[in-house]
Amino acid sequence: MTGLYGNSFVYANPQQRCLSDTATLNVALQELSKVLHYSDRVVCNLSSSGLTPESARELAQRLKKLKKLHALDLSSNYIRVADWQDAYDLAADFLMNNTVEYLDLGLNYLPPLQSLTDNAGLYDKFRLFGQRIALGLYGCPLTGMEDVDHWIQNAERFRQEAYGYDYAPDV
């Protein structure tokens, strides 16, 4: 499924195919490569697509060969990470290799957001991604804890950048 939303051209996984195996991932990437010819601002919505940590890493490697995506929505998958270092390594595969501009990893099996501050060096590495990564849940009320609220606001920012949803950073 594809369509134009705001200034972005959105590719969405049709019929919510499970992309945890190479064969179906190949089909989705072939479809996505065709969509990349239509716009310089393509959003790839692979939320709820059955991606595992292994298939997400394969996706990162395979996307490097394609034109850069504006946003990649990997929310609500089966991406289970052991710790924040594992989550950082996965995020870096997408964000540091110029594969995507914005990445959403929310609603996966990540450690609690509050625990990210336990490792100051790793926390700082995540913060270097700026507003480009969403780890929190879109629509959650802010907690008053800046270290947690930052990731919730990034989820809202991701929705604005990817799908044109309203974003109110001062809320």
Side-chain angles (χ1 to χ4, degrees):
M1 174 187 210
T2 57
L4 189 59
Y5 291 91
N7 295 329
S8 300
F9 197 88
V10 178
Y11 167 81
N13 180 21
Q15 297 94 32
Q16 295 298 302
R17 288 181 295 218
C18 184
L19 301 179
S20 61
D21 65 85
T22 302
T24 53
L25 187 58
N26 285 342
V27 172
L29 287 170
Q30 287 172 353
E31 293 170 349
L32 177 60
S33 67
K34 292 176 185 173
V35 171
L36 288 169
H37 295 291
Y38 293 116
S39 175
D40 289 336
R41 191 176 162 107
V42 173
V43 174
C44 183
N45 181 349
L46 297 181
S47 65
S48 302
S49 294
L51 289 167
T52 63
E54 296 77 23
S55 56
R57 284 185 180 87
E58 180 181 351
L59 176 64
Q61 295 306 311
R62 307 259 317 269
L63 283 176
K64 288 178 190 176
K65 299 173 184 168
L66 299 177
K67 190 170 129 184
K68 182 177 181 178
L69 294 173
H70 179 67
L72 177 60
D73 188 343
L74 296 181
S75 63
S76 301
N77 276 286
Y78 299 111
I79 301 171
R80 183 181 308 268
V81 295
D83 54 28
W84 281 113
Q85 182 62 55
D86 200 20
Y88 176 80
D89 293 342
L90 178 62
D93 281 346
F94 290 103
L95 295 170
M96 292 184 71
N97 294 317
N98 220 17
T99 305
V100 300
E101 184 63 28
Y102 291 93
L103 176 66
D104 186 355
L105 288 175
L107 290 172
N108 280 289
Y109 298 94
L110 304 175
L113 285 173
Q114 294 89 333
S115 68
L116 183 54
T117 58
D118 294 346
N119 182 333
L122 193 56
Y123 177 80
D124 291 343
K125 284 178 158 182
F126 269 104
R127 288 297 294 235
L128 287 175
F129 291 138
Q131 296 179 336
R132 298 176 59 208
I133 186 167
L135 299 172
L137 305 175
Y138 171 71
C140 282
L142 298 180
T143 65
M145 299 168 50
E146 193 279 328
D147 295 334
V148 174
D149 290 345
H150 171 79
W151 307 112
I152 295 170
Q153 289 174 324
N154 278 4
E156 294 170 355
R157 174 70 179 200
F158 178 87
R159 293 292 182 268
Q160 176 197 26
E161 288 295 330
Y163 306 116
Y165 290 12
D166 287 338
Y167 172 67
D170 297 331
V171 175

